[in-house]
Amino acid sequence: MEFSDKIPKLIAGWLRGTLTPAEQQELDNWINESPANRLFFVESTDEKLLAKELQQFNQRDATSRLDDTLHTVDPETKPIQGGISATMKRFMIAACIILVAAAGIYFLVRHNADKDMADTTIPTTAPNNDVQPGTEKAVLTLADGTKIILDNTANGTIAQQGNTSVMKEDGLLAYNTDKNKPQAVVMYNTLNTTKGQEFRSLVLSDGTKVWLNSLSSIHFPTSFTGKERKVEITGEVYFEVTKNPHPFRVSVNGTDIEVFGTHFNVNAYDDELVIKTTLLEGSIKVSKNGNQKMVKPGQQAQTKKGSNDIQITVADLDQTIAWKEGFFLFKNNDIQTIMRQISRWYDVEVVYQGTTTEKFSGRVNRNTNLSEVLKAFEESNIHFKIQEKTITVMP
């Protein structure tokens, strides 16, 4: 397997969540070049292997440690004997960089602190009162009020809505409209998730792709007719809108978003003070009670609840879509902001005893048990008590 010295650095950046869009594209291109590249990437980013290696890395002779690590990222690598070739050096660099980057998954760093919040990896053994992460699940409500739970529904046609067939295939929910059969009455469906759920594969009748975070919903027509395509949402939803002569509109808590084919994320939870619309590519117009502003890629429109003002700021794209990529990504966030995300994903209630003003940064896989996430914060003078479905936060 051949790769440039830059590849390990790109993988390290991917693990840490710091890749620029251009670097992410470069890594994706390399991964897709060959099955061997893809295998290397999968094995070198396996969290269980990395966690085990980090835990044991300092307990063995350096040469044997490198042998084991190199074997983890490339099973064909032979043990080190005698001199080290240039190829072997590249593998050693890859192994070391990957190991260091892997620590970023398990370590949360206190903002402006001189040391990590945790000096060791988080134990994999969970307490009896631990909470499992959320799952892929949602409820689809049809036009007649029928509810379909989308977690164990068999593949195939699950409903017929006028001239539109609702299909489910390996987790994908798609609306396929027969344009040869005009529909006289517009029919609406609603897809919603509760706490501890997400849905990542909804395709509307125009081809627009939709991802729903926890405690979110989308209300949409089963087939788009007329001069515009309009949906209503709550919570947090990511869109990849198909280009179409008819504008795509999103309505959320008094804010209107007009789209002409683009990728964007809307965060409008009831327990957040600001509705955040973040644009990744394309162009959108955000309006509220007569006020309107255009948003460019890399920007975020913020509309405060109870106010008609629209503020345009520079967006942190990595942090915005971390949930869609399967991670929590904290950057100088206070504990209250962090715990709101945790509450929604793990379906728990949060109460506070005392206050803390510290802020935190870090990246954690959303498939991690709750106790493992909280363990990192406990290294920074914040303590938690899990009792059934309630977390008590104590300084």
Side-chain angles (χ1 to χ4, degrees), residues 245-296:
H246 303 301
F248 191 96
R249 296 184 184 276
V250 178
S251 178
V252 50
N253 290 342
T255 296
D256 184 75
I257 306 163
E258 184 176 353
V259 186
F260 290 93
T262 185
H263 298 185
F264 65 103
N265 188 84
V266 183
N267 184 317
Y269 284 112
D270 289 339
D271 58 359
E272 301 290 350
L273 297 177
V274 177
I275 296 174
K276 300 176 181 179
T277 304
T278 307
L279 182 63
L280 283 79
E281 65 177 65
S283 64
I284 59 177
K285 180 172 66 178
V286 177
S287 306
K288 188 173 184 182
N289 293 334
N291 292 333
Q292 61 182 33
K293 288 190 177 181
M294 296 298 298
V295 183
K296 299 178 181 180

Side-chain angles (χ1 to χ4, degrees), residues 4 120 145 199 235 251-252 265 289 301 337 348 369 373:
S4 69
T120 58
F199 197 82
S251 178
V252 50
N265 188 84
N289 293 334
T337 299
V348 293
N369 284 352
V373 177

Side-chain angles (χ1 to χ4, degrees), residues 133-394:
T135 59
E136 176 100 6
K137 186 176 181 181
V139 174
L140 175 66
T141 303
L142 304 179
D144 63 358
T146 300
K147 296 183 182 297
I148 301 175
I149 299 176
L150 300 177
D151 62 346
N152 54 4
T153 306
N155 291 334
T157 301
I158 62 174
Q160 187 70 37
Q161 299 288 274
N163 65 345
T164 302
S165 299
V166 185
M167 307 289 293
K168 184 175 181 295
E169 186 69 32
D170 296 330
L172 175 70
L173 183 68
Y175 282 70
N176 300 319
T177 299
D178 186 348
K179 296 182 179 180
N180 295 322
K181 297 179 180 179
Q183 185 168 304
V185 179
V186 179
M187 306 178 75
Y188 288 88
N189 284 186
T190 301
L191 184 68
N192 72 277
T193 58
T194 63
K195 280 187 172 183
Q197 299 176 358
E198 66 178 0
F199 197 82
R200 307 175 65 84
S201 304
L202 169 64
V203 182
L204 302 180
S205 62
D206 66 336
T208 292
K209 299 178 182 178
V210 182
W211 288 255
L212 269 67
N213 202 348
S214 302
L215 204 61
S216 304
S217 71
I218 179 170
H219 183 68
F220 57 95
T222 58
S223 63
F224 290 107
T225 59
K227 297 182 179 180
E228 67 177 12
R229 301 167 288 165
K230 186 174 182 179
V231 301
E232 299 176 8
I233 68 168
T234 64
E236 185 166 25
V237 182
Y238 179 87
F239 291 90
E240 291 185 357
V241 178
T242 298
K243 293 184 179 180
N244 189 301
H246 303 301
F248 191 96
R249 296 184 184 276
V250 178
S251 178
V252 50
N253 290 342
T255 296
D256 184 75
I257 306 163
E258 184 176 353
V259 186
F260 290 93
T262 185
H263 298 185
F264 65 103
N265 188 84
V266 183
N267 184 317
Y269 284 112
D270 289 339
D271 58 359
E272 301 290 350
L273 297 177
V274 177
I275 296 174
K276 300 176 181 179
T277 304
T278 307
L279 182 63
L280 283 79
E281 65 177 65
S283 64
I284 59 177
K285 180 172 66 178
V286 177
S287 306
K288 188 173 184 182
N289 293 334
N291 292 333
Q292 61 182 33
K293 288 190 177 181
M294 296 298 298
V295 183
K296 299 178 181 180
Q299 292 183 337
Q300 182 178 92
Q302 299 184 357
T303 55
K304 290 185 177 181
K305 296 175 182 178
S307 170
N308 295 329
D309 189 33
I310 303 173
Q311 297 290 333
I312 303 297
T313 65
V314 177
D316 186 323
L317 300 182
D318 290 335
Q319 189 172 24
T320 297
I321 65 170
W323 71 270
K324 175 180 171 288
E325 304 300 322
F327 293 92
F328 293 111
L329 183 58
F330 308 127
K331 294 186 178 181
N332 195 27
N333 295 128
D334 57 48
I335 194 66
Q336 290 79 15
T337 299
I338 293 171
M339 294 309 294
R340 286 197 295 272
Q341 294 185 45
I342 289 176
S343 172
R344 291 190 287 261
W345 181 236
Y346 289 93
D347 188 14
V348 293
E349 299 299 323
V350 180
V351 296
Y352 297 88
Q353 291 184 1
T355 60
T356 179
T357 59
E358 291 189 77
K359 296 186 177 182
F360 306 87
S361 298
R363 183 175 184 268
V364 183
N365 194 306
R366 276 165 54 111
N367 288 326
T368 305
N369 284 352
L370 178 58
S371 65
E372 297 183 4
V373 177
L374 300 182
K375 175 64 177 177
F377 292 101
E378 291 189 331
E379 300 296 333
S380 186
N381 299 323
I382 291 185
H383 303 284
F384 304 89
K385 179 174 68 176
I386 304 177
Q387 189 172 8
E388 295 182 349
K389 301 290 283 186
T390 300
I391 304 174
T392 302
V393 183
M394 302 167 287

